[in-house]
Amino acid sequence: MRILGIETSCDETGIAIYDDGQGDLPEGIVAHRLYSQIAVHADYGGVVPELASRDHVRKTIPLIKEVLSDANMTPQDLDGVAYTAGPGLVGALLVGCSIGRSLAYGWNLPAVPVHHMEGHLLAPMLEENVPEFPFVALLVSGGHTMLVRVDGIGQYEMLGESVDDAAGEAFDKTAKLLGLDYPGGPVLAKMAENGRAGQYKFPRPMTDRPGLNFSFSGLKTFAANTIYKENERITSEEEKVQVHADIAYAFQEAVVDTIAIKCRRALEQCKLKRLVIAGGVSANSALREKLTVITKKLGGEVFYPRPEFCTDNGAMIAYAGMQRLKAGVDTDLTFKATPRWPLDTLAAI
Ligand code: KG4
Ligand code: ZN
C-alpha cells in the first residue's frame, strides 16, 4: 500500500509518498519534498500565521505534483491521503486538511487525519535501526517539549512537559538576543561550536526537585541578562564574537544537560532502556551526543530520525498515516483542524 502525506502545520510545506513494502517496491519513502518558508518569516523574527497559510496555499498542490512525478506515479497508484490535522496554526492546518480531504474525495481514496506529534514520534521508524516498543520518547520542537512513555502506536502516557517555553522556542529566543535570524536554533548551535567551556554557568532549571516537567523561560532571561551585561563591557568586535560564542555554548550546554537529566530520570522511572528523540531540536548534535552517552551508561540505546526528518516534513506524516490507515479510518467527508490536541487522547491501534 502507498500513501501520500501532507504536512502544513507551521512554516514548512512537506509532501511525501510512503510505501509499506507489501507490493513491488521496498518499504520506505518513495519520494519527498520540503518547501521551507524561512525566508518569508525571517524579517518578522518569527512565524506570521497569515503569511504561513497563504504560502501553503501557493505551494501545497505544486509540491504534490512534483512528488508524484518524482515517484513516477499517478494518483491511481495511491491507497490513501494523510494530512496533519493538528496541533499547529489553525490557518496553516486548514490548508493541508482541506487539500488532503478534497484530493482523497476526488481520487476516491480514504483520508487520514494525522497528529503532528505522533508523526514526529514515529519518524525514527523510517530509519534502519528501528526502536521496539516500549520506549521513552523525548519530543523537542519549536512548540513542544514532552517526555512520553510509548507502549505502542497510540499508547502514549505523558510523563512530563514544559510548563512554559518549548526547548526550540528557548533556542530561537536566545538566538534572537544574540542577533541571529529566525529560526536561530541551528545557527546558535553552529555558533556554540566556537564557544569555550566554563566561561559562563547557566542554571539547570527544575533539576533540583523530583518530576519530569521542564521550564526553559528562565534560561532565556538568564541569557538576556548575561548578553546585556557583557555587551556593555565588550570593547572590540573580535571580543564580541568570542563572548557570544561562549554564551551560546553555555546556553546550549544548560539545555542539553537539563534534558539529559530528565531523560535519565524518565528511563529509570519507567524501567526502560530505549530512548527515542524526535522534533526539530533532536537535530542538535550536542544533544544527540549527550543522550547517546547517558543511554549507554544505562545499558540502553538512543534512536533518532535522520536530521532532515527531525524538523517538520511530509515523510513522518505519510508514515504515521499509513499506520492509522491500516487500523481503519472514518469514511466521513468532513475534516477538522485541531490547533490544540493532547497526544495522549489518541486511540491505540
Ligand atoms: O519540529 P520543528 O521543525 O517544528 C515544530 O513543530 O516546532 O522544530 C523547529 C524547532 C525550531 O525552534 C528550531 O530552532 C529548532 O527546532 N532546531 C534546533 C536545531 N535544528 C532545529 N534547535 C537546536 N539545534 C538544532 N540543530
Ligand atoms: Zn514539528
Side-chain angles (χ1 to χ4, degrees):
M1 294 217 302
R2 261 167 238 140
I3 195 165
L4 176 76
I6 304 172
E7 156 63 34
T8 67
S9 69
C10 189
D11 59 346
E12 341 249 4
T13 319
I15 307 293
I17 295 173
Y18 172 81
D19 190 295
D20 71 351
Q22 303 300 307
D24 305 337
L25 293 179
E27 181 188 351
I29 295 299
V30 186
H32 71 99
R33 286 208 185 209
L34 185 82
Y35 165 75
S36 169
Q37 301 180 347
I38 284 177
V40 174
H41 304 289
D43 285 350
Y44 303 91
V47 178
V48 183
E50 178 59 21
L51 295 183
S53 312
R54 289 186 213 169
D55 226 24
H56 287 308
V57 169
R58 275 192 288 269
K59 295 293 178 193
T60 307
I61 300 269
L63 269 189
I64 292 173
K65 285 186 180 162
E66 285 173 29
V67 166
L68 277 167
S69 150
D70 291 348
N72 206 13
M73 285 179 187
T74 67
Q76 283 80 46
D77 296 309
L78 300 172
D79 300 281
V81 179
Y83 57 86
T84 303
L89 302 170
V90 70
L93 286 168
L94 276 169
V95 179
C97 289
S98 49
I99 291 177
R101 188 66 198 88
S102 311
L103 287 179
Y105 177 68
W107 294 342
N108 201 18
L109 295 174
V112 192
V114 172
H115 190 292
H116 180 80
M117 297 314 287
E118 179 169 74
H120 274 306
L121 196 156
L122 297 177
M125 304 294 184
L126 291 167
E127 302 308 323
E128 288 224 329
N129 190 18
V130 170
E132 268 176 48
F133 299 112
F135 53 76
V136 168
L138 167 78
L139 301 180
V140 272
S141 69
H144 296 89
T145 308
M146 307 183 210
L147 273 166
V148 192
R149 184 193 159 106
V150 181
D151 285 286
I153 295 177
Q155 293 173 262
Y156 308 132
E157 183 195 338
M158 290 298 297
L159 302 169
E161 58 193 321
S162 178
V163 297
D164 42 53
D165 292 354
E169 196 179 352
F171 263 98
D172 294 339
K173 286 179 175 171
T174 301
K176 198 171 180 181
L177 293 167
L178 287 166
L180 306 175
D181 282 344
Y182 177 84
V187 194
L188 186 151
K190 188 100 197 89
M191 205 169 167
E193 286 172 14
N194 298 320
R196 300 164 299 177
Q199 299 298 307
Y200 299 95
K201 178 81 184 164
F202 277 57
R204 272 54 174 165
M206 291 179 84
T207 53
D208 57 350
R209 65 193 92 162
L212 294 170
N213 282 341
F214 301 89
S215 165
F216 292 112
S217 69
L219 278 181
K220 171 200 62 196
T221 311
F222 193 91
N225 292 336
T226 309
I227 294 163
Y228 179 74
K229 222 171 73 201
E230 292 297 69
N231 281 354
E232 292 280 287
R233 183 188 62 77
I234 289 165
T235 50
S236 73
E237 195 51 38
E238 201 184 348
E239 190 184 5
K240 186 172 166 186
V241 169
Q242 186 61 55
V243 163
H244 282 195
D246 293 342
I247 293 172
Y249 181 97
F251 166 81
Q252 175 174 270
E253 187 188 40
V255 175
V256 167
D257 267 3
T258 304
I259 290 176
I261 290 167
K262 302 280 171 161
C263 284
R264 187 192 308 128
R265 230 180 246 178
L267 288 167
E268 284 169 354
Q269 184 180 310
C270 296
K271 299 193 170 52
L272 291 174
K273 296 198 172 205
R274 284 181 291 271
L275 177 70
V276 160
I277 59 170
V281 183
S282 69
N284 185 280
S285 41
L287 180 66
R288 287 177 175 225
E289 277 162 30
K290 182 85 180 184
L291 293 178
T292 304
V293 172
I294 68 144
T295 44
K296 232 183 216 156
K297 269 195 196 146
L298 293 170
E301 199 181 343
V302 63
F303 300 82
Y304 35 72
R306 71 195 81 166
E308 64 178 326
F309 292 167
C310 285
T311 44
D312 292 348
N313 64 85
M316 67 185 197
I317 302 307
Y319 179 83
M322 177 62 86
Q323 312 314 310
R324 294 271 162 201
L325 175 64
K326 286 186 170 181
V329 286
D330 263 341
T331 50
D332 204 338
L333 286 182
T334 57
F335 62 84
K336 191 168 165 228
T338 311
R340 286 181 184 275
W341 186 2
L343 182 65
D344 56 3
T345 59
L346 294 184
I349 61 174

